[in-house]
Amino acid sequence: MPKTQEKEFERYLKKYEALIIKVARVYSHGAENQKDLIQEIVLQLWRAFPKYSADRGVSTWTYRIALNVSISYLRKESSRRRREEEYSQNQSRQTDNCDPIDDRLKILYRFIHTLNATDKALMLLFLEGCKNKEIAKIMGVTPGVVSTKIYRIKAQLKVYFESIESN
């Protein structure tokens, strides 16, 4: 895109930023999903901007792209959530088939399923016996971050086990 068109796009984006945010709020759940959706809308607007024809209304054109991107995003998101739920159900069935001796293992897996994606990966690597330096390299963080996160997750796990045992 030529520099003049880049500047034009920046001005356009500032003018229609509120519209984009409004559409993203309606079609997303949570701040992170909203940011992702806004980013996707802006990307698609950027790609389509050189083809924009002045005979169409700018706000109509913006709404059309923002809504189409949002609807596609919503479909992908619901499909992803459905796959995650199926995976969780399969994991529960797998852990439920363990021997009674493995009750603590079932509890551990249930706990791991409550973690966010990054912490799940971290725990998986930790439980596989990887060293902090190796985990840090794989995850793209410092060994100090790995140590801190593992310490915090262990503390959460201890509380989780205690709450289960007290029930």
Side-chain angles (χ1 to χ4, degrees), residues 37-81:
L37 182 53
I38 289 170
Q39 186 174 13
E40 186 64 28
I41 291 169
V42 170
L43 174 65
Q44 295 308 321
L45 288 167
W46 169 261
R47 288 180 177 163
F49 196 72
K51 300 173 205 143
Y52 171 70
S53 172
D55 61 322
R56 290 182 266 171
V58 181
S59 64
T60 302
W61 178 79
T62 305
Y63 263 120
R64 177 167 286 168
I65 290 175
L67 290 172
N68 285 336
V69 169
S70 298
I71 290 166
S72 293
Y73 181 85
L74 195 60
R75 285 183 190 137
K76 287 177 193 172
E77 190 63 23
S78 74
S79 174
R80 184 191 60 76
R81 264 189 259 130

Side-chain angles (χ1 to χ4, degrees), residues 83-162:
R83 285 191 309 271
E84 279 182 1
E85 287 171 9
E86 288 171 7
Y87 175 78
S88 291
Q89 289 171 352
N90 286 338
Q91 285 299 109
S92 292
R93 279 189 223 116
Q94 287 175 2
T95 57
D96 288 344
N97 293 333
C98 295
D99 294 334
I101 299 168
D102 295 329
D103 282 342
R104 291 179 71 84
L105 186 60
K106 283 191 237 180
I107 295 169
L108 175 63
Y109 276 110
R110 281 193 210 118
F111 170 75
I112 290 171
H113 287 297
T114 66
L115 299 173
N116 66 43
T118 304
D119 290 349
K120 280 182 188 178
L122 184 88
M123 282 305 292
L124 176 65
L125 293 168
F126 176 75
L127 292 171
E128 287 292 317
C130 295
K131 303 289 181 215
N132 287 2
K133 283 184 181 179
E134 187 179 0
I135 295 171
K137 189 175 181 181
I138 291 169
M139 298 188 68
V141 296
T142 65
V145 169
V146 172
S147 297
T148 302
K149 284 188 163 275
I150 288 174
Y151 176 80
R152 289 178 182 161
I153 293 169
K154 283 180 177 179
Q156 289 175 332
L157 180 60
K158 183 180 178 190
V159 170
Y160 187 80
F161 267 99
E162 289 170 353

